[in-house]
Amino acid sequence: MRLFIAEKKVLGEAIASALDGKATTKDSVIYKGDNVIVWCSGHLLTLREPESYNEKYKSWNIADLPIYFNDWQNAVPKENAARVKQIGELIKSADEIVNCGDIDEEGQLLVDEILRWFKYAGPCKRLDTANTTVDALKKALLKMKDNKDCELDGWSAYAREVADMTFGINFTRYFSKVYNAKLPVGRVMTPTLGLVVNRDQAIEGHKKSYYYNLYVDSLVKEKTVRLRFIPEKDLDILEDGKFLSDDFLKQLSKDIVNTDGTYEVKKENLSETAPLPFNLTTLNSYCGKKWGYNPDKVMKITQSLRDDYSAITYNRSDCQYLSMEHFKEAPNTIAAICSNLNTSADSFNTSKAGRCFNDANITAHFAIIPTNQKFDINKLSKEQMNVYLAICKYYLIQFLPNCKKEKTIMCLPITFKGKIVGKLEATASKIVSAGFRAMLGSEEKEEDDDEVADIIGFAEGKYNGIVKNTEIQQKETKPPQRYTQTSLFVDMTRISKYVDDPEIKKLLLEKDKEKKGENGSIGTSATRAEIIKKLIAIGFLEEKKEGKKEILISTDKGRKFYSLLPDEIKKADTTAKWWVIQEDIKTGSASYKDLTEGVVDLIKSIMTTFTVNESDAAEFSFKPQSLCKCPSCGQDILKGKFGPYCSNKCGFRLQYVFGKKVTEKQYISLCNGKKVKITGIQKKDGSGTFDAFAIPNGVEDVTYTSKGETINAKQLKLEMSFK
């Protein structure tokens, strides 16, 4: 029996389709002749937690750091135990195994670690899964490698996994103990926090400044045309390409007003190609801008479209390209999409491959596109429908003509004091043939040309004209915009642009040179949304409403902690330096321990040299929020983990009113003597519910029983009103 172990269900099903024979499926395993296909659905194993090696690690003590194990072993999470056992039974019966993980380091490790877990030592092949179309997989099945030739890729991923575990556990425990507060640290999480902290500080430290533009109104062929002055790039007066003073422009205005000249008009025919299909980053950007969906929401929607309807391909992809095999399958895919959408497929041309079909640009994944699965789209929720239609559109436009445009440019060179200092220019475009833009409609509408008159009616040629009026406009420099979850996700794919060290920037870009859409990144498409959610959950970031947007702002806690961390562990440098070692592991010129033991050395160095300021430590002390005054003793009611409580511990309690648990808002109102409407009160006879007002009227002593013990407390006297 030959056992195929795939990374994902959709890949397992594709492999089954590429194999000969009749398929039967039982307990999420596909049987096809002598071939058996099973899938992992991601990593089934994790690294063991430190306390599983030694009970003492349950307690966080600086004396126990650094925590590191020479052979950091795997464990099976409870939720994966049944699947791992099932795969183990199949491995025992296998004569040969085929590793069908994604073609990247993680995909290699994901299957290899399962084989090591069960101590499999038999024949093992490696299937090229870069292209998961049926025809491509059929070809790949005929030229599989020996898995041993690929195992170093998996060891590279294992090194990164152990290094991340070592980095996170030790630095989190160290700084949490030093500052007596829960302060998580992570190789990707901490630089991501830095993006927001630095952005917030740039916004709040922004100093308003001004720059100036010159516009003129010229009379050309009896038509008033507004043109903008475009200076020569090497003009001495410019600073960063801008006029920060209007003195020069005032002099120039006086010199050119009422002067005539020869205005030249040129035409350019432009052909605009369709934007590429989505990867997860571009899909997040689209959905965030159009509907305000954050990355976590997009992930849940796309996961449902995959799992519940098989409507789209792999949704965590970092790639925007498709293979030529996908192009061959396009007629069937388009037919299924158009059937689902109840529209005609006649306008889509599948005779010529567009630029998205490029085998050289395929990574371990390919673009997010609709499948050829037919289903009832009326079952989709509104949000699912929005995302599905967007994915369909950005696939279908690959088979529509380019958008044809005509651009008109009017230009007049400007001489000042005997020297050419720039030109007056106006531009305008018109769509000659909409092509793919007809399907996208207004969502891909171009920005209007910058404050210019319509010059499209002018034919090519030269025209006499005269400058009639000039206007100098003062423009204000703007601070950068606050992050949203979506824009932060995008900047995680290009963090290199914020890196000052040219060597680190170069390494980050080199790391992603084979990945279209990743430009010096941290994290992966599959992990970035979770990292952002975690930063919010631990209180380093918070979301606030700003107009129609939910913006991300760093909290005082997040800013303070980031400012205290050493540069060696809070910047993207760590990812760049690790990548160099991982590349050496893949070639065999380094061992995985070269990376992991290097992290241990870094931890020891930081712990030895880091200086703690007591005043900084005090800032992380928990300060409970005061909600109101206690109606019994007059001291503060504080917000606690299990609800509000009296800071004086006078025994005042208020949990239920008329049998209904009170909300925090109701609690505050009642303590302040205000009446509160309580809804859904159960009638004594059980015949239904009713609403009433609770009206506080002093405090009374009460007793209640908890775990068999009678406790004295104080409670509000409440009256019921049906007004």
Side-chain angles (χ1 to χ4, degrees):
M1 179 261 280
R2 183 167 60 165
L3 176 65
F4 293 81
I5 305 179
E7 181 163 339
K8 300 178 284 284
K9 178 184 178 183
V10 65
L11 176 57
E13 292 171 339
I15 292 168
S17 298
L19 294 167
D20 294 332
K22 183 179 179 182
T24 58
T25 303
K26 182 180 179 182
D27 298 329
S28 297
V29 179
I30 301 174
Y31 299 88
K32 207 165 192 185
D34 196 38
N35 297 305
V36 178
I37 305 98
V38 69
W39 48 88
C40 299
S41 301
H43 281 278
L44 291 176
L45 305 182
T46 61
L47 292 177
R48 286 175 59 181
E49 293 294 332
E51 52 266 34
S52 72
Y53 291 90
N54 192 320
E55 286 268 334
K56 72 176 183 177
Y57 293 130
K58 282 187 176 179
S59 299
W60 290 19
N61 297 305
I62 290 180
D64 293 332
L65 306 180
I67 297 172
Y68 176 71
F69 308 102
N70 283 322
D71 179 20
W72 207 310
Q73 298 169 4
N74 287 117
V76 181
K78 186 181 292 186
E79 62 272 18
N80 295 340
R83 188 61 164 174
V84 171
K85 181 180 178 182
Q86 182 186 31
I87 293 174
E89 293 299 321
L90 292 170
I91 288 173
K92 287 179 185 177
S93 304
D95 300 309
E96 181 182 64
I97 291 178
V98 182
N99 182 334
C100 307
D102 286 347
I103 296 297
D104 58 13
E105 294 87 349
E106 289 297 327
Q108 183 69 36
L109 174 63
L110 183 141
V111 177
D112 282 352
E113 64 188 5
I114 291 284
L115 300 181
R116 288 198 290 271
W117 181 259
F118 289 105
K119 298 180 173 58
Y120 178 77
C124 187
K125 299 291 186 183
R126 182 60 161 107
L127 179 68
D128 182 349
T129 58
N131 187 338
T132 58
T133 60
V134 172
D135 286 346
L137 286 172
K138 283 182 176 179
K139 293 175 183 176
L141 286 164
L142 298 175
K143 51 180 182 179
M144 293 190 287
K145 297 179 182 178
D146 191 309
N147 191 58
K148 283 186 171 60
D149 297 337
C150 308
E151 285 179 347
L152 288 177
D153 283 1
W155 284 113
S156 172
Y158 172 77
R160 195 272 317 145
E161 184 181 25
V162 173
D164 266 335
M165 187 83 150
T166 307
F167 187 97
I169 283 175
N170 285 286
F171 282 129
T172 295
R173 292 189 180 204
Y174 176 71
F175 287 107
S176 295
K177 292 303 293 182
V178 161
Y179 291 113
N180 194 30
K182 185 71 177 292
L183 298 169
V185 178
R187 173 182 61 89
V188 176
M189 182 177 66
T190 304
T192 302
L193 169 63
L195 285 173
V196 184
V197 170
N198 292 331
R199 172 68 59 88
D200 290 345
Q201 290 174 342
I203 292 168
E204 290 151 20
H206 175 73
K207 293 182 180 179
K208 189 183 295 186
S209 62
Y210 298 94
Y211 63 97
Y212 301 86
N213 286 334
L214 171 64
Y215 293 88
V216 306
D217 291 323
S218 294
L219 190 64
V220 184
K221 200 180 177 182
E222 299 182 349
K223 184 174 182 178
T224 299
V225 178
R226 169 152 280 216
L227 303 98
R228 179 182 172 185
F229 174 63
I230 310 294
E232 291 287 298
K233 290 182 180 179
D234 60 354
L235 201 62
D236 293 341
I237 195 76
L238 293 174
E239 292 188 39
D240 293 327
K242 292 182 170 64
F243 291 104
L244 303 186
S245 165
D246 63 354
D247 292 343
F248 174 81
L249 295 179
K250 284 178 178 178
Q251 296 175 46
L252 183 63
S253 295
K254 290 178 182 178
D255 191 68
I256 63 174
V257 73
N258 294 323
T259 60
D260 50 16
T262 302
Y263 294 73
E264 184 173 12
V265 174
K266 293 182 179 179
K267 302 278 187 179
E268 291 181 6
N269 292 319
L270 306 176
S271 181
E272 181 188 3
T273 57
L276 293 168
F278 292 120
N279 63 12
L280 183 56
T281 301
T282 55
L283 182 61
N284 276 331
S285 295
Y286 180 93
C287 295
K289 187 180 295 183
K290 192 167 181 67
W291 301 296
Y293 300 166
N294 66 35
D296 185 54
K297 186 165 197 164
V298 174
M299 181 63 74
K300 288 176 180 174
I301 293 170
T302 53
Q303 196 66 43
S304 175
L305 287 171
R306 283 190 69 220
D307 294 345
D308 300 335
Y309 302 97
S310 299
I312 62 171
T313 58
Y314 183 59
N315 57 327
R316 291 173 168 84
S317 174
D318 58 3
C319 180
Q320 286 187 266
Y321 289 86
L322 299 167
S323 69
M324 289 306 296
E325 292 296 336
H326 286 110
F327 177 67
K328 292 176 184 177
E329 294 178 359
N332 290 336
T333 305
I334 291 172
I337 296 168
C338 292
S339 173
N340 292 339
L341 302 181
N342 194 26
T343 188
S344 171
D346 294 343
S347 59
F348 302 108
N349 180 9
T350 58
S351 64
K352 184 179 178 182
R355 68 184 177 114
C356 74
F357 296 100
N358 188 330
D359 290 338
N361 290 337
I362 299 291
T363 62
H365 308 119
F366 53 85
I368 304 171
I369 62 172
T371 65
N372 59 9
Q373 183 74 30
K374 294 182 181 180
F375 67 100
D376 183 3
I377 63 170
N378 293 314
K379 293 180 179 179
L380 299 179
S381 68
K382 182 180 179 182
E383 292 172 343
Q384 290 172 329
M385 180 69 85
N386 285 341
V387 175
Y388 178 66
L389 287 176
I391 293 170
C392 287
K393 281 184 181 181
Y394 273 69
Y395 173 75
L396 291 173
I397 59 175
Q398 309 305 317
F399 306 95
L400 292 176
N402 289 352
C403 176
K404 304 291 186 182
K405 299 178 184 176
E406 181 186 76
K407 184 177 183 179
T408 304
I409 307 161
M410 179 180 284
C411 181
L412 173 70
I414 295 295
T415 302
F416 182 62
K417 295 183 179 180
K419 179 184 176 183
I420 293 179
V421 294
K423 59 186 176 182
L424 296 178
E425 185 176 87
T427 62
S429 298
K430 72 174 182 179
I431 292 177
V432 178
S433 174
F436 72 86
R437 284 193 174 276
M439 173 166 277
L440 294 185
S442 61
E443 65 194 40
E444 282 288 329
K445 187 179 179 182
E446 293 182 295
E447 294 182 2
D448 294 330
D449 291 311
D450 186 17
E451 302 182 62
V452 297
D454 179 16
I455 56 170
I456 291 173
F458 284 87
E460 277 196 325
K462 295 182 178 180
Y463 300 86
N464 291 327
I466 184 170
V467 175
K468 301 297 292 182
N469 300 300
T470 65
E471 179 188 6
I472 297 173
Q473 289 187 1
Q474 184 186 67
K475 304 276 187 176
E476 182 182 322
T477 57
K478 302 291 185 185
Q481 291 188 330
R482 298 277 186 190
Y483 274 117
T484 62
Q485 286 198 44
T486 299
S487 62
L488 180 57
F489 188 108
V490 171
D491 263 3
M492 290 173 75
T493 71
R494 57 189 185 193
I495 197 171
S496 59
K497 74 176 186 176
Y498 301 105
V499 173
D500 297 324
D501 186 323
E503 187 59 31
I504 297 298
K505 184 190 288 282
K506 181 181 176 182
L507 288 175
L508 287 168
L509 291 171
E510 180 73 10
K511 173 179 71 73
D512 289 344
K513 69 178 181 180
E514 303 296 333
K515 301 176 184 177
K516 301 290 183 180
E518 302 273 318
N519 298 288
S521 62
I522 54 172
T524 67
S525 293
T527 61
R528 289 176 187 132
E530 285 299 318
I531 287 167
I532 295 170
K533 277 175 62 181
K534 185 174 181 180
L535 283 167
I536 296 170
I538 62 181
F540 286 170
L541 301 180
E542 62 181 339
E543 276 194 301
K544 291 185 176 179
K545 195 82 172 176
E546 185 179 77
K548 294 182 179 180
K549 290 195 302 185
E550 290 279 352
I551 61 168
L552 278 179
I553 299 181
S554 53
T555 62
D556 291 341
K557 176 183 175 183
R559 291 186 193 196
K560 184 64 180 178
F561 184 48
Y562 185 77
S563 72
L564 294 173
L565 288 173
D567 284 352
E568 299 98 309
I569 64 174
K570 72 180 182 182
K571 294 187 174 182
D573 301 32
T574 304
T575 293
K577 292 173 182 176
W578 287 13
W579 173 76
V580 174
I581 302 172
Q582 284 184 267
E583 289 297 290
D584 289 341
I585 295 169
K586 287 161 64 176
T587 62
S589 58
S591 160
Y592 76 85
K593 288 190 177 181
D594 290 332
L595 176 56
T596 57
E597 291 177 357
V599 175
V600 175
D601 291 340
L602 174 64
I603 294 163
K604 290 177 180 177
S605 173
I606 296 294
M607 289 174 58
T608 303
T609 59
F610 188 74
T611 303
V612 181
N613 187 312
E614 293 300 324
S615 63
D616 292 331
E619 291 194 38
F620 293 109
S621 300
F622 177 67
K623 302 176 184 66
Q625 178 186 349
S626 177
L627 299 176
C628 56
K629 296 297 181 182
C630 176
S632 176
C633 70
Q635 297 301 307
D636 286 339
I637 293 286
L638 302 178
K639 183 174 183 175
K641 184 177 180 180
F642 301 104
Y645 66 97
C646 177
S647 60
N648 193 37
K649 298 181 181 178
C650 73
F652 178 77
R653 293 179 59 81
L654 181 60
Q655 286 184 300
Y656 295 91
V657 171
F658 308 147
K660 298 285 290 182
K661 191 168 185 177
V662 295
T663 65
E664 184 180 289
K665 185 176 180 180
Q666 290 171 331
Y667 188 108
I668 295 169
S669 294
L670 289 167
C671 287
N672 287 332
K674 298 177 181 178
K675 72 177 182 178
V676 170
K677 187 175 183 180
I678 307 296
T679 60
I681 304 167
Q682 192 72 38
K683 292 182 179 179
K684 288 184 178 180
D685 62 5
S687 61
T689 61
F690 64 96
D691 301 339
F693 287 102
I695 304 173
N697 183 19
V699 178
E700 62 181 340
D701 292 325
V702 296
T703 59
Y704 68 96
T705 302
S706 177
K707 297 180 181 179
E709 183 181 355
T710 300
I711 300 173
N712 294 319
K714 295 178 180 179
Q715 180 87 25
L716 286 176
K717 293 180 181 177
L718 295 172
E719 299 174 0
M720 187 183 286
S721 169
F722 298 96
K723 294 179 181 178

